[in-house]
Amino acid sequence: MEVIALTQERIIGASVDNKNEVLAAMLKLTNGEAITISSDDVPIGPRQSEMKKLQMLTLRPSLPGDRREASLSTPRDVQWPVLECLTFRHINDRYYTVKAKHGKTFEWIFESRDDNLLWSPFPNWFKSGGSCYWINGKPGSGKTTLMKFIDQAPAMKSLVRRWAHRQNSRSSDPSNGVLSASFFFWNLGPFSLQKSQAGLLRALLHDILKQAPCLIPKIVPELCSEVLKFGKPKSEPSLPELRRWFRRLIRAASPEMKLYFLIDGVDEYVGDFDELIDTLFSEPSRFVKFIVSSRPTIPCTEAFSKYPSLRLQDLTSSDIKDYANDTLRCRLGSLSHLVGMDDLSVVVEEICLRSSGVFLWVILVVKSLLQGIRNGDSIPELLARLRELPTDLAKLYQEIFNSIPTKYRQQATDFFRAMVQSVIYESYEERGYPVTALQMSFVGDTDYTTNAHPKAMSLGEIPRRHALIDRRIRSRCCGLLETNTRTIAVMTRVSGEVPLRPNPRPRRQSSRNLSYQLPFQQSNFQAPCIEFIHRSVVEFFADTQVLDQPPHGDGCITNDPWTVLFCSHIGVLKSFPSQSILFDDNDEGQFILVSIRTALFDACSCETLEHPISSELLDELDKAIGYQWDMATWVILDFPMKRVAAEGHWVRMLLFAIHGVRWHDLGDATIADFDALGFLGVAILLPLTSYIEAWLKKEVNREFIADVCTKMLRGWARAKAQTWTQQRKGARYDRNSQFSQNPWSSLTSLLSLSPWAPLNTRLVQLLLEAGADPNASVGPEPSAFQSFLFLSGMHTTDERATTNQVARLEKLFLDHGARIDNPFHYSA
């Protein structure tokens, strides 16, 4: 092959027969084969001025008669899909939740002091020190706020320029020879990637490669190859791949391209800590720096104590004094006549003395003192109030909880229980959804959630509820919970007037199935959400079990946390004004879908944790979702978005999730059965066996029970066959994936429970014992046992436990009359 033109952004000027040598390029041959041209010996630099050199790369054969060619259109065609593969939803959520520092707080971090014995001066280390700097401190001392300040500070950019030996550079390139990336671990985050090694590496790789896309072919050639072959990467990157790519990136660092990484909250990481440290530091380089922060836990101390460091609580006394003084004087306002401004200095000094460097303690104490001033407390009374408060955070939380007025104790307890239960669900399995202020406004409102008929609120009612719950959170929870506006990612139609266009290959011609392609993209839905003020509050409630105590001291716990949280979902779905489950011009319809998914997830979690939601509440949920379904005229099916009429029962949403636009492959009879079953159909898909047990106890007509159970068993087996087929084809749902943009795919994870799991075995046994006929079929569709045989045929026999479950299910079917002499050619 002879190089006749070049498209790669970064070209090192080595001359080869008067032509430039391409050191890293991805090529796609006309026969579909993708190849890589790369050199590991010469580093590729990040200069943005060189990235703009975009031309067409074409190779032609050097032998006469050979017509093969290879070409690459534009680097952006490869770069964009690769970067999309590395990023994930909510990648920066933790960063944006961190509040800005107060005034000149933490600005001392950029002061160079060679005689300081309390800490290793940060600027000295950055200019000439080793590979890692460790910021450690007590919970609530302000580590994350400091890390965000370092990431944003102009003084940091100056340090970067000095490290790059370009202090006087006038280059327009913002990197100036140094590329940076950051990641903030978030143990309370709704996604595993926010607290895992995979999330860390994806974020760091994404940030660096976005700044220097010329590195993409060299660092992640595997992804480039897949993009050239298939138009996008085939799957999410695995952890071994991410570790390999990150080490390539470290090895690519050079005097012309230095790297620094800022990683906050290493103690919040969930996974093998030794493996994480090995990934980050196994190949040290003098051209790579890490700034990490954490609590001084044993693993973190063992890993980082050998590096230059600072202990934050030893260095913040002046910052705490400024914060307390400014906040008290600023917020007194019209109350200044009650307390002399000069007298406040005594209180401020006492705050600094007792704070032990913990900023969070100071914030809570200042709130308590402001309340005392509003109550008319004198300076001696304020000092007495201050000295009564514990200096230990956990004891302070206990004191705050005990100070909640008796008349508010039940409501405050319900708020805390709902929030703690939400966190428990997050740790059990990802919900991926915060508790909104609207949802929290229904906590404790059992009369509405259990008795009221669904009715849409007026548009003015929602902000009124937001304002009301914010005031209640402030007055009942004493600062341990707070309201913040957060982003919920949704799918919305692209901007501009884009007409609907008929699907070129519609599956059916009936009006109910007429589909249209709709151009959609990911959007952001802003909503006020309720959050704990700090992770240490969650740890306090988990360690003390204070919420398990009766709020009135009468020996009776009024509301369990599962019911409290679940009722709030019902309240939202009964009242939220939406005319479509998914409507192309607003985000509210998608908000409803997310609310439905979260409510069903919580019901499944309660079933698994053996705290099942009562059948009465599940019936109320059925009414609430049915109300939203009836309000919709059509729904979106898949991406590229296609819509169908909202008909039958809302259980069809789960059928959409099973097979997307081909949901009718389930068969008309199966779909009709699910419509007739209603919430019983939902219960067999999730499964919610306790709900079916409660229904069986209510019914007395044995013939009717047998007929309904037959439909349930047949529907369960048919749906499981479809779901399992999709998963075996590699269509397993990943809620973090940028490729899972089917709006219903968020429900797919609810249906992914193995058919051999104990919950499903229990369900099948219950239905068969209630009289279900395993041989019954409708028209050309298979019976329950025929679908089961198809399922068992896909089972791999290399797992002994699963094999035992399959055998047990098969025995259950045969014991209840299943016939093996009735073959069926199954097509799923």
Side-chain angles (χ1 to χ4, degrees), residues 468-516:
L468 180 61
I469 194 60
D470 182 62
R471 294 179 69 87
R472 288 186 173 181
I473 290 293
R474 292 174 185 273
S475 61
R476 273 70 163 172
C477 300
C478 302
L480 299 184
L481 293 179
E482 60 183 3
T483 306
N484 294 305
T485 298
R486 294 290 171 247
T487 298
I488 302 173
V490 299
M491 298 298 298
T492 55
R493 195 175 71 178
V494 297
S495 59
E497 293 297 325
V498 184
L500 297 179
R501 53 188 186 274
N503 179 14
R505 294 165 62 183
R507 190 176 185 281
R508 295 173 183 256
Q509 296 300 322
S510 63
S511 61
R512 66 169 184 164
N513 300 313
L514 184 61
S515 59
Y516 297 87

Side-chain angles (χ1 to χ4, degrees), residues 94 98 142-149 184 264-265 268 293 312:
R94 175 56 174 155
V98 181
K143 299 181 294 296
T144 301
T145 304
L146 171 58
M147 293 289 276
K148 184 173 183 178
F149 168 61
F184 285 59
D264 176 65
E268 299 192 40
S293 74
L312 191 53

Side-chain angles (χ1 to χ4, degrees), residues 49-83:
S49 59
E50 293 165 342
M51 296 177 197
K52 297 176 182 177
K53 299 176 182 178
L54 306 178
Q55 301 176 15
M56 173 70 69
L57 173 64
T58 303
L59 300 183
R60 73 183 182 193
S62 56
L63 297 177
D66 190 345
R67 297 183 178 181
R68 291 178 299 167
E69 286 189 352
S71 64
L72 177 65
S73 55
T74 64
R76 186 174 295 274
D77 294 336
V78 175
Q79 295 163 3
W80 183 252
V82 168
L83 293 175

Side-chain angles (χ1 to χ4, degrees), residues 768 773-775 785 810 812-821:
L768 288 170
D773 183 356
N775 304 307
F785 188 57
E810 185 173 356
L812 276 173
F813 273 100
L814 294 175
D815 288 347
H816 289 84
R819 299 202 321 266
I820 60 175
D821 59 347

Side-chain angles (χ1 to χ4, degrees), residues 5 35 281 431 439 590 710 804:
I35 61 173
F281 300 106
R431 290 162 87 243
Q439 179 183 342
Q590 175 70 0
T710 298
N804 292 338

Side-chain angles (χ1 to χ4, degrees), residues 637-650:
L637 266 188
D638 208 345
F639 190 89
M641 300 296 184
K642 300 176 182 179
R643 68 177 186 175
V644 295
E647 298 176 337
H649 188 269
W650 64 266

